[in-house]
Amino acid sequence: MCNFRLKTFLIPCCALLILAGGVAAQTVSHEEAHRKAEELLKKMTVDEKVGQLNQSSGVTMPFLGSQKPDDLISQGKVGSVLWLIDVKEINRLQHIAVEKTRLHIPILFAFDVIHGYRTVFPVPLAMASSWDPSVEEQAQHLAGQDARAAGIDWTFTPMVDIARDARWGRIVEGAGEDPYLGAAMARAQVKGFQGDTLGPDSVLACVKHFAGYGAADGGRDYDSSYIPEELMENVYLVPFHAAEQAGAGSFMSAYMDLNDVPATGNKWLLTDVLRNDWGFKGFVVSDAFAVGSLTTHGFARDGEDAAYKAASAGVNMDMASQTYTRSLANVVSTSKVNDAQLDALVLPILETKYELGLFEHPYVDESKVETTLTRPEGLALERKVAGRSMVLLKNDNKTLPLAKSVKKIAVIGLLADSKSDIEGGWTVESLFGAPGKSHPVTVLAGIKNKLGPDAQVTYVAGPPMARLYPSLFDMISGARPPAPPTADEVADWLAKTKAAAGDADVVVAVLGELSSMSSESASRATLDLPGIQQQMLETVAATGKPVVLVLENGRPLDIRWAAEHVAAILEAWYPGTEGGNAVADVLFGDVNPGGKLPVSWPRSAGQEPLYYNHNLTHQPEDQPGFTSRYWDLNSKPLYPFGYGLSYTNFKFDHLRLSRKNVKAGEATEVEVEVTNTGAVAGDAVAEVYIHQRAGSASRPVRQLKGFKRVALQPGETQTLKFPLGKDELEFWSPQTKAWGVEPGTFDVWAGEDSTASLHAELVVE
Ligand code: BGC
């Protein structure tokens, strides 16, 4: 339930103080958990079993009909509680479950710890821009440790939906458009949260939204997806499979219809693919209210039919809709779902509770929460991850990095000093409207921190964008939308902007989108800079002063004008708690940017969906005659997938293959040299792409099949090696309906982005 500010609906905290007792629980092996779960299952009634399949809201939401969960818990009708972060309340409810129910089964507490808990890391799209899975793993590990210390056992992360359309608001929550990069980031996040095995110190990951959610028609959130099986197999399912192979303990079924069958009632997805093909042994939770909304889709006749369809498709747990609570026992009594099926739904949930150590150690140690959440290493790691996530899109090579001796800077734009935007969505603050526990550093503050008191920093905000874009919460609660700024107000802001820029040595314009404009239920039909930001940018550029555009946004935006007219552009996304300091590190050269785009950057929304790994058309745009093109726009991206600049330059050379001919199933090794040819140290990302020239199906013009981020001193050369074998060369063919490597010739490229020209040829016999 992203973006719902739930503050007003929060349950008042109970003053009961519960001290956690005893020694930390030991890890329980999967075999032991399985044995214990089976024993427990034998003692359970149908109602108790159905209770474990119910996830109740921990906050009362009268507008959605949800109530305090106390009664249901004491009747043994709740297996999990979500959207609850008050530690005392978590302990209080857990005491009811453990002490007042017949079988003393603890509750699994769940929350969306998407990119940090107290310390907020950059949004997932930003972390993917680091092209460094190890930092995303470290970030999610810290986030998981914080969350577990605060009583959260389960996070609804990672979101691994491929997003090829920047209009879709949830592009910000994933790793972008590419299945290979997405798979690497998915594995890293599962590892970060769960560690090698689930245990008393780890957090259960939940891979979502299974599957195809990112392909929503028109980029409109929740809308239907139509994805042929070959695209599911070769693109959309790839990161899900990677996360499953990495040991993810839970999956979340998506909201939308997939090829006319809602994902939450889709047996092909949830049973045939996930359990039968991949061998998944964990459990599936529906997305919030999604079991109930099977009737809204026109797929289920009524609640009972919805419970039957979801349960028999493979949804173990019903998130928040209470449909299982109301109807599943009836369905079981008619044997439409038999006892063995019911047991199979319950078993993995009980196993997970044993593995997480909840039976031995159900309560939160309240005395340790604040100490854990305020560990200084959290902020240091956040600043590092944020620095690694930024992408330098343009630099005229004289403006950035800025000299620290600069005397007068004009900082322009509402986002420059917005604490509520720099951390992005899905934070505790943005969900609950709980103020002030994390202390985000804005870009304005970061610049001031960097320059100290002697520099003159002038700030012009511009009109509040909230007057143009009311929050979702305001819309839900029926608040009257605020009046948009008047023409006089706009003129006044522009005059102030011009004056500040005219008086400065350099202008830093921090523009983009309010964080609420991306994420759930936040699609956009245009990718323009909202409000009067474009006018502000043109105003500062007209002064002739060097302008650095810093973008804070959750999706690529239409910045064609800026790309031509400003000196430098830094994509910061929503960089997190230390974001402002991290932006200043990059602007002033303490950190050399090394991030790369995880998405193709469109010129305009009209190009969407836009992705680099498309097939060849029979008449590409660069050929004469009838071609695939627009009358009014170049169809290529403004910046290609994998692109990003540095304050130094890199040269890629000596691309070679250890074997130029291999048999199908064998591997070769790609070797490429990368040299830092500039004067400062920096990070290069070597990217390897392939293309299969002919086969049983048309193959994409390029596909990423390897990457590595390396730090290089000036003049330093490193030789990097990448395997190219079955895993990289195979694909799922719509003709054979199977995965396989097909004989033929493959192009291989290595370089700095998806347009790399360094080329070799591989023949598969
Ligand atoms: C979102 C999920 C989220 C869930 C629980 C839903 O509305 O689609 O991504 O995990 O709410 O908050």
Side-chain angles (χ1 to χ4, degrees), residues 87 113 115-121 142-143 146-147 150 369-375 378-379 382 423 427-429 436-440 576-577:
V87 179
V113 183
H115 54 116
Y117 192 66
R118 176 72 58 81
T119 298
V120 180
F121 289 98
L142 193 130
D146 281 4
V369 177
E370 276 310 300
T371 333
T372 307
L373 299 189
T374 52
R375 287 174 293 167
L379 292 180
E382 203 296 294
E423 292 185 330
T427 59
V428 169
E429 272 86 358
K437 288 229 170 146
S438 95
H439 300 287
T577 309

mmCIF file of all heavy atoms in Angstrom, residues 87 113 115-121 142-143 146-147 150 369-375 378-379 382 423 427-429 436-440 576-577:
data_model
loop_
_atom_site.group_PDB
_atom_site.id
_atom_site.type_symbol
_atom_site.label_atom_id
_atom_site.label_comp_id
_atom_site.label_asym_id
_atom_site.label_seq_id
_atom_site.Cartn_x
_atom_site.Cartn_y
_atom_site.Cartn_z
ATOM 1 N N VAL A 87 7.157 -1.185 17.763
ATOM 2 C CA VAL A 87 7.751 -2.374 18.373
ATOM 3 C C VAL A 87 6.930 -2.897 19.556
ATOM 4 O O VAL A 87 6.758 -4.104 19.729
ATOM 5 C CB VAL A 87 9.188 -2.048 18.832
ATOM 6 C CG1 VAL A 87 9.830 -3.241 19.481
ATOM 7 C CG2 VAL A 87 10.011 -1.581 17.658
ATOM 8 N N VAL A 113 10.262 -3.173 3.505
ATOM 9 C CA VAL A 113 11.581 -2.552 3.694
ATOM 10 C C VAL A 113 12.240 -2.585 2.310
ATOM 11 O O VAL A 113 12.955 -3.508 1.959
ATOM 12 C CB VAL A 113 12.408 -3.332 4.739
ATOM 13 C CG1 VAL A 113 13.743 -2.654 4.995
ATOM 14 C CG2 VAL A 113 11.613 -3.466 6.032
ATOM 15 N N HIS A 115 14.098 -0.060 0.479
ATOM 16 C CA HIS A 115 15.476 0.421 0.301
ATOM 17 C C HIS A 115 15.952 1.076 1.597
ATOM 18 O O HIS A 115 16.443 2.210 1.600
ATOM 19 C CB HIS A 115 15.603 1.360 -0.911
ATOM 20 C CG HIS A 115 14.650 2.518 -0.919
ATOM 21 N ND1 HIS A 115 15.062 3.826 -0.836
ATOM 22 C CD2 HIS A 115 13.301 2.574 -1.013
ATOM 23 C CE1 HIS A 115 14.001 4.623 -0.866
ATOM 24 N NE2 HIS A 115 12.924 3.881 -0.974
ATOM 25 N N GLY A 116 15.796 0.319 2.659
ATOM 26 C CA GLY A 116 16.269 0.817 3.941
ATOM 27 C C GLY A 116 15.130 0.886 4.938
ATOM 28 O O GLY A 116 13.951 0.920 4.560
ATOM 29 N N TYR A 117 15.527 0.885 6.201
ATOM 30 C CA TYR A 117 14.518 0.959 7.263
ATOM 31 C C TYR A 117 14.660 2.333 7.923
ATOM 32 O O TYR A 117 14.030 3.282 7.489
ATOM 33 C CB TYR A 117 14.697 -0.202 8.243
ATOM 34 C CG TYR A 117 13.524 -0.345 9.168
ATOM 35 C CD1 TYR A 117 12.285 -0.713 8.670
ATOM 36 C CD2 TYR A 117 13.645 -0.097 10.523
ATOM 37 C CE1 TYR A 117 11.184 -0.816 9.510
ATOM 38 C CE2 TYR A 117 12.550 -0.207 11.373
ATOM 39 C CZ TYR A 117 11.323 -0.557 10.861
ATOM 40 O OH TYR A 117 10.242 -0.658 11.685
ATOM 41 N N ARG A 118 15.526 2.504 8.911
ATOM 42 C CA ARG A 118 15.762 3.872 9.425
ATOM 43 C C ARG A 118 16.703 4.626 8.475
ATOM 44 O O ARG A 118 16.423 5.728 8.045
ATOM 45 C CB ARG A 118 16.368 3.796 10.823
ATOM 46 C CG ARG A 118 16.747 5.145 11.412
ATOM 47 C CD ARG A 118 15.545 5.968 11.819
ATOM 48 N NE ARG A 118 14.690 5.318 12.790
ATOM 49 C CZ ARG A 118 14.912 5.279 14.110
ATOM 50 N NH1 ARG A 118 15.964 5.903 14.617
ATOM 51 N NH2 ARG A 118 14.094 4.647 14.919
ATOM 52 N N THR A 119 17.847 3.970 8.177
ATOM 53 C CA THR A 119 18.750 4.559 7.174
ATOM 54 C C THR A 119 18.180 4.209 5.813
ATOM 55 O O THR A 119 18.026 3.034 5.495
ATOM 56 C CB THR A 119 20.154 3.948 7.317
ATOM 57 O OG1 THR A 119 20.644 4.274 8.611
ATOM 58 C CG2 THR A 119 21.097 4.479 6.260
ATOM 59 N N VAL A 120 17.878 5.222 5.031
ATOM 60 C CA VAL A 120 17.245 4.958 3.735
ATOM 61 C C VAL A 120 18.298 5.011 2.628
ATOM 62 O O VAL A 120 18.985 6.024 2.452
ATOM 63 C CB VAL A 120 16.117 5.969 3.459
ATOM 64 C CG1 VAL A 120 15.460 5.681 2.121
ATOM 65 C CG2 VAL A 120 15.082 5.921 4.580
ATOM 66 N N PHE A 121 18.420 3.917 1.911
ATOM 67 C CA PHE A 121 19.372 3.820 0.800
ATOM 68 C C PHE A 121 18.735 4.402 -0.463
ATOM 69 O O PHE A 121 17.530 4.674 -0.496
ATOM 70 C CB PHE A 121 19.771 2.358 0.603
ATOM 71 C CG PHE A 121 20.646 1.867 1.717
ATOM 72 C CD1 PHE A 121 20.119 1.139 2.779
ATOM 73 C CD2 PHE A 121 21.997 2.167 1.733
ATOM 74 C CE1 PHE A 121 20.917 0.721 3.825
ATOM 75 C CE2 PHE A 121 22.806 1.760 2.782
ATOM 76 C CZ PHE A 121 22.269 1.037 3.824
ATOM 77 N N LEU A 142 22.161 -4.495 5.554
ATOM 78 C CA LEU A 142 22.017 -3.565 6.683
ATOM 79 C C LEU A 142 20.539 -3.236 6.930
ATOM 80 O O LEU A 142 20.066 -3.226 8.065
ATOM 81 C CB LEU A 142 22.810 -2.289 6.413
ATOM 82 C CG LEU A 142 22.967 -1.417 7.655
ATOM 83 C CD1 LEU A 142 24.422 -1.018 7.860
ATOM 84 C CD2 LEU A 142 22.098 -0.173 7.615
ATOM 85 N N ALA A 143 19.816 -3.018 5.840
ATOM 86 C CA ALA A 143 18.383 -2.715 5.981
ATOM 87 C C ALA A 143 17.674 -3.874 6.685
ATOM 88 O O ALA A 143 16.826 -3.680 7.563
ATOM 89 C CB ALA A 143 17.765 -2.473 4.611
ATOM 90 N N ASP A 146 18.516 -4.041 10.412
ATOM 91 C CA ASP A 146 17.766 -3.002 11.132
ATOM 92 C C ASP A 146 16.318 -3.435 11.332
ATOM 93 O O ASP A 146 15.758 -3.334 12.422
ATOM 94 C CB ASP A 146 17.767 -1.687 10.333
ATOM 95 C CG ASP A 146 19.076 -0.921 10.484
ATOM 96 O OD1 ASP A 146 19.993 -1.444 11.143
ATOM 97 O OD2 ASP A 146 19.174 0.192 9.933
ATOM 98 N N ALA A 147 15.735 -3.919 10.242
ATOM 99 C CA ALA A 147 14.317 -4.276 10.292
ATOM 100 C C ALA A 147 14.093 -5.416 11.291
ATOM 101 O O ALA A 147 13.164 -5.370 12.110
ATOM 102 C CB ALA A 147 13.840 -4.678 8.904
ATOM 103 N N ALA A 150 14.055 -4.488 14.720
ATOM 104 C CA ALA A 150 12.855 -3.733 15.081
ATOM 105 C C ALA A 150 11.587 -4.580 14.945
ATOM 106 O O ALA A 150 10.477 -4.046 14.933
ATOM 107 C CB ALA A 150 12.756 -2.486 14.214
ATOM 108 N N VAL A 369 16.633 -1.763 20.079
ATOM 109 C CA VAL A 369 16.162 -1.272 18.775
ATOM 110 C C VAL A 369 16.874 0.017 18.360
ATOM 111 O O VAL A 369 17.501 0.093 17.299
ATOM 112 C CB VAL A 369 14.631 -1.064 18.792
ATOM 113 C CG1 VAL A 369 14.154 -0.479 17.478
ATOM 114 C CG2 VAL A 369 13.923 -2.389 19.056
ATOM 115 N N GLU A 370 16.820 1.031 19.229
ATOM 116 C CA GLU A 370 17.375 2.331 18.822
ATOM 117 C C GLU A 370 18.877 2.254 18.569
ATOM 118 O O GLU A 370 19.393 2.863 17.633
ATOM 119 C CB GLU A 370 17.064 3.401 19.881
ATOM 120 C CG GLU A 370 15.687 4.041 19.742
ATOM 121 C CD GLU A 370 15.359 4.533 18.332
ATOM 122 O OE1 GLU A 370 16.076 5.403 17.783
ATOM 123 O OE2 GLU A 370 14.376 4.027 17.765
ATOM 124 N N THR A 371 19.585 1.481 19.400
ATOM 125 C CA THR A 371 21.041 1.370 19.197
ATOM 126 C C THR A 371 21.336 0.776 17.823
ATOM 127 O O THR A 371 22.243 1.219 17.129
ATOM 128 C CB THR A 371 21.653 0.412 20.262
ATOM 129 O OG1 THR A 371 20.831 0.443 21.407
ATOM 130 C CG2 THR A 371 23.085 0.731 20.572
ATOM 131 N N THR A 372 20.569 -0.228 17.457
ATOM 132 C CA THR A 372 20.813 -0.840 16.141
ATOM 133 C C THR A 372 20.489 0.144 15.030
ATOM 134 O O THR A 372 21.272 0.317 14.085
ATOM 135 C CB THR A 372 19.938 -2.107 15.970
ATOM 136 O OG1 THR A 372 20.163 -2.948 17.091
ATOM 137 C CG2 THR A 372 20.267 -2.835 14.690
ATOM 138 N N LEU A 373 19.348 0.804 15.132
ATOM 139 C CA LEU A 373 18.898 1.658 14.029
ATOM 140 C C LEU A 373 19.749 2.909 13.848
ATOM 141 O O LEU A 373 19.700 3.540 12.796
ATOM 142 C CB LEU A 373 17.435 2.071 14.226
ATOM 143 C CG LEU A 373 16.406 0.939 14.271
ATOM 144 C CD1 LEU A 373 14.996 1.504 14.252
ATOM 145 C CD2 LEU A 373 16.585 -0.004 13.089
ATOM 146 N N THR A 374 20.513 3.267 14.854
ATOM 147 C CA THR A 374 21.313 4.491 14.723
ATOM 148 C C THR A 374 22.807 4.188 14.591
ATOM 149 O O THR A 374 23.641 5.070 14.794
ATOM 150 C CB THR A 374 21.075 5.424 15.928
ATOM 151 O OG1 THR A 374 21.285 4.654 17.125
ATOM 152 C CG2 THR A 374 19.660 5.971 15.950
ATOM 153 N N ARG A 375 23.135 2.954 14.229
ATOM 154 C CA ARG A 375 24.558 2.624 14.035
ATOM 155 C C ARG A 375 25.174 3.577 13.005
ATOM 156 O O ARG A 375 24.622 3.738 11.916
ATOM 157 C CB ARG A 375 24.706 1.204 13.486
ATOM 158 C CG ARG A 375 24.438 0.105 14.480
ATOM 159 C CD ARG A 375 24.465 -1.224 13.806
ATOM 160 N NE ARG A 375 23.352 -1.360 12.865
ATOM 161 C CZ ARG A 375 23.247 -2.326 11.951
ATOM 162 N NH1 ARG A 375 24.199 -3.222 11.840
ATOM 163 N NH2 ARG A 375 22.213 -2.388 11.153
ATOM 164 N N GLY A 378 25.687 2.711 9.247
ATOM 165 C CA GLY A 378 24.562 2.768 8.320
ATOM 166 C C GLY A 378 24.669 3.985 7.413
ATOM 167 O O GLY A 378 24.591 3.893 6.193
ATOM 168 N N LEU A 379 24.889 5.148 8.023
ATOM 169 C CA LEU A 379 24.951 6.376 7.226
ATOM 170 C C LEU A 379 26.176 6.384 6.320
ATOM 171 O O LEU A 379 26.124 6.846 5.176
ATOM 172 C CB LEU A 379 24.954 7.600 8.146
ATOM 173 C CG LEU A 379 23.640 7.846 8.900
ATOM 174 C CD1 LEU A 379 23.741 9.082 9.784
ATOM 175 C CD2 LEU A 379 22.469 7.992 7.924
ATOM 176 N N GLU A 382 25.386 4.250 3.447
ATOM 177 C CA GLU A 382 24.379 4.910 2.596
ATOM 178 C C GLU A 382 25.058 5.924 1.678
ATOM 179 O O GLU A 382 24.810 5.958 0.474
ATOM 180 C CB GLU A 382 23.347 5.608 3.491
ATOM 181 C CG GLU A 382 22.010 5.860 2.843
ATOM 182 C CD GLU A 382 22.002 6.790 1.665
ATOM 183 O OE1 GLU A 382 22.283 7.987 1.812
ATOM 184 O OE2 GLU A 382 21.682 6.323 0.554
ATOM 185 N N GLU A 423 14.647 11.006 -0.086
ATOM 186 C CA GLU A 423 14.735 9.576 0.239
ATOM 187 C C GLU A 423 13.850 8.713 -0.667
ATOM 188 O O GLU A 423 13.882 7.495 -0.588
ATOM 189 C CB GLU A 423 14.350 9.344 1.707
ATOM 190 C CG GLU A 423 15.365 9.932 2.678
ATOM 191 C CD GLU A 423 15.060 9.609 4.126
ATOM 192 O OE1 GLU A 423 13.869 9.458 4.469
ATOM 193 O OE2 GLU A 423 16.010 9.496 4.913
ATOM 194 N N THR A 427 9.344 4.754 2.233
ATOM 195 C CA THR A 427 10.067 4.896 3.486
ATOM 196 C C THR A 427 9.028 4.853 4.600
ATOM 197 O O THR A 427 7.837 5.073 4.351
ATOM 198 C CB THR A 427 10.803 6.246 3.548
ATOM 199 O OG1 THR A 427 9.821 7.274 3.424
ATOM 200 C CG2 THR A 427 11.807 6.381 2.414
ATOM 201 N N VAL A 428 9.505 4.594 5.799
ATOM 202 C CA VAL A 428 8.577 4.582 6.934
ATOM 203 C C VAL A 428 7.844 5.921 6.998
ATOM 204 O O VAL A 428 6.636 5.987 7.186
ATOM 205 C CB VAL A 428 9.355 4.288 8.232
ATOM 206 C CG1 VAL A 428 8.472 4.540 9.445
ATOM 207 C CG2 VAL A 428 9.883 2.873 8.225
ATOM 208 N N GLU A 429 8.621 7.002 6.774
ATOM 209 C CA GLU A 429 8.018 8.341 6.820
ATOM 210 C C GLU A 429 6.932 8.496 5.766
ATOM 211 O O GLU A 429 5.845 8.973 6.047
ATOM 212 C CB GLU A 429 9.078 9.429 6.591
ATOM 213 C CG GLU A 429 9.771 9.885 7.852
ATOM 214 C CD GLU A 429 10.962 9.002 8.187
ATOM 215 O OE1 GLU A 429 11.192 8.027 7.439
ATOM 216 O OE2 GLU A 429 11.633 9.261 9.194
ATOM 217 N N GLY A 436 10.433 12.587 11.104
ATOM 218 C CA GLY A 436 11.663 12.913 11.785
ATOM 219 C C GLY A 436 12.567 11.852 12.355
ATOM 220 O O GLY A 436 13.500 12.206 13.022
ATOM 221 N N LYS A 437 12.359 10.553 12.104
ATOM 222 C CA LYS A 437 13.294 9.607 12.716
ATOM 223 C C LYS A 437 14.567 9.480 11.894
ATOM 224 O O LYS A 437 15.645 9.280 12.416
ATOM 225 C CB LYS A 437 12.632 8.251 12.918
ATOM 226 C CG LYS A 437 11.624 8.276 14.033
ATOM 227 C CD LYS A 437 11.822 7.130 14.997
ATOM 228 C CE LYS A 437 10.972 7.313 16.221
ATOM 229 N NZ LYS A 437 10.482 6.051 16.775
ATOM 230 N N SER A 438 14.431 9.548 10.561
ATOM 231 C CA SER A 438 15.666 9.612 9.788
ATOM 232 C C SER A 438 15.869 11.097 9.512
ATOM 233 O O SER A 438 14.918 11.882 9.513
ATOM 234 C CB SER A 438 15.531 8.809 8.494
ATOM 235 O OG SER A 438 15.154 9.615 7.420
ATOM 236 N N HIS A 439 17.102 11.501 9.331
ATOM 237 C CA HIS A 439 17.369 12.932 9.155
ATOM 238 C C HIS A 439 18.028 13.141 7.805
ATOM 239 O O HIS A 439 19.248 13.268 7.714
ATOM 240 C CB HIS A 439 18.254 13.447 10.294
ATOM 241 C CG HIS A 439 17.604 13.268 11.629
ATOM 242 N ND1 HIS A 439 16.549 14.054 12.050
ATOM 243 C CD2 HIS A 439 17.813 12.373 12.610
ATOM 244 C CE1 HIS A 439 16.147 13.657 13.243
ATOM 245 N NE2 HIS A 439 16.906 12.626 13.613
ATOM 246 N N PRO A 440 17.211 13.185 6.748
ATOM 247 C CA PRO A 440 17.796 13.261 5.424
ATOM 248 C C PRO A 440 18.546 14.569 5.174
ATOM 249 O O PRO A 440 18.131 15.634 5.630
ATOM 250 C CB PRO A 440 16.592 13.144 4.484
ATOM 251 C CG PRO A 440 15.383 13.310 5.308
ATOM 252 C CD PRO A 440 15.740 13.089 6.728
ATOM 253 N N GLY A 576 18.607 8.950 -1.073
ATOM 254 C CA GLY A 576 18.551 8.423 0.295
ATOM 255 C C GLY A 576 18.955 9.420 1.359
ATOM 256 O O GLY A 576 19.159 10.615 1.104
ATOM 257 N N THR A 577 19.088 8.895 2.575
ATOM 258 C CA THR A 577 19.271 9.747 3.756
ATOM 259 C C THR A 577 20.472 10.684 3.635
ATOM 260 O O THR A 577 20.412 11.849 3.986
ATOM 261 C CB THR A 577 19.429 8.859 5.013
ATOM 262 O OG1 THR A 577 18.347 7.925 5.036
ATOM 263 C CG2 THR A 577 19.391 9.678 6.273
#
